[in-house]
Amino acid sequence: MATAKAHTNIALVKYWGKSDQELILPQTSSLSLTLDEFFTTTKVNFDDQLTSDQVIVDNQQLDEKSARKVVHVLDIVRQLSGRQAFGRVESHNNVPMAAGLASSASAFAALAGAASTAAGLSLSRRDLSRLARRGSGSATRSIYGGLVEWQKGTNDKDSYAIPVMEKVDFPIEMMAVLINTKKKKVSSRSGMQLSVTTSPYYDVWRQVVAADMVAIKKAIDQRDINAIGHIAEENALRMHALTLSADPGYTYFNAETLTIINAVKDLRAGGINCYYTMDAGPNVKIIYDRKDRQAIIGALSKIISCDRLVVSQPGPGIKIWND
Ligand code: DP6
């Protein structure tokens, strides 16, 4: 039996498209910030008495269809370890509200750590990153803390994450603005595939990301939060242009998303440097220097309730222990 705790991450240069859907190899590299505030703790036990894999998330047993991606990772672990037994997976997400931040990144990173250890494997962090990738692309990066690069590679062996700055030594902070949505969203898995196959801008996106990766690593080196924020914001908008330009086109933005984006722009026009990014849902994440936190909360709390603003520091890498 083993338990792992992994934190979620938010991409500053996004992953949006696969070159291999089975191995989850990305079209481009990407770069993210691991967050302290949001994490998943997962316990795995391989047990000869079980007659099927059991997956329990936040005290609810998943049906076969919902558990499919988890079972896929367990199958890979069984293959690697030569073990036959079925597994019991029990997972808890630490997310302040049910508002779409329950990320597959922390979930599949924790699963990779707990399942491989429970099966008696002792994988390097690189191999853990590769295993997490088989569950969900963004999980590749959640093995490490701080600022992390997922190097796209060309095959299963060389597509993994590396730490860029595990202990972030400058005052970058991220605020999640939790926006409610009732609409069923397009999953990132199917959304990104639709962009790859139908957006006429997809080739240009590859070039955008290649340039952004160089620029953001230079900005990180210089601890330049404004440059990091600016690159992240432009990159997010260009990623979301791939959803609008797909066929059929779609968007993750809703009216409130745009309201928050405008508030961030107003803050910036007023001299507070802050920048926004969004993923496969309506929530907005704001990037800024810690010293500006109160000014940003002050401005946003005029348009959205304070309990929907969640501040997070950079977070740590995965922790795994045997129970
Ligand atoms: C917008 O990692 O959820 O958050 O690999 O199909 O499981 P799959 O997709 P997923 O996609 C994440 C997309 C994103 C950008 C990012 O995290 O880089």
Side-chain angles (χ1 to χ4, degrees), residues 216-237:
I216 203 161
K217 283 190 270 183
K218 185 164 169 235
I220 290 168
D221 234 28
Q222 296 171 339
R223 278 98 173 133
D224 185 341
I225 297 175
N226 292 335
I228 294 170
H230 176 74
I231 295 162
E233 185 173 298
E234 292 301 319
N235 182 272
L237 286 171

Side-chain angles (χ1 to χ4, degrees), residues 175 260-275 286 288 292-303:
M175 189 186 301
I260 301 300
I261 286 177
N262 285 329
V264 170
K265 283 199 204 156
D266 287 348
L267 272 160
R268 210 151 68 207
I272 305 287
N273 287 322
C274 53
Y275 303 85
I286 306 176
Y288 55 93
D292 294 321
R293 184 197 306 154
Q294 284 317 320
I296 296 169
I297 291 179
L300 292 182
S301 56
K302 294 193 183 111
I303 51 174

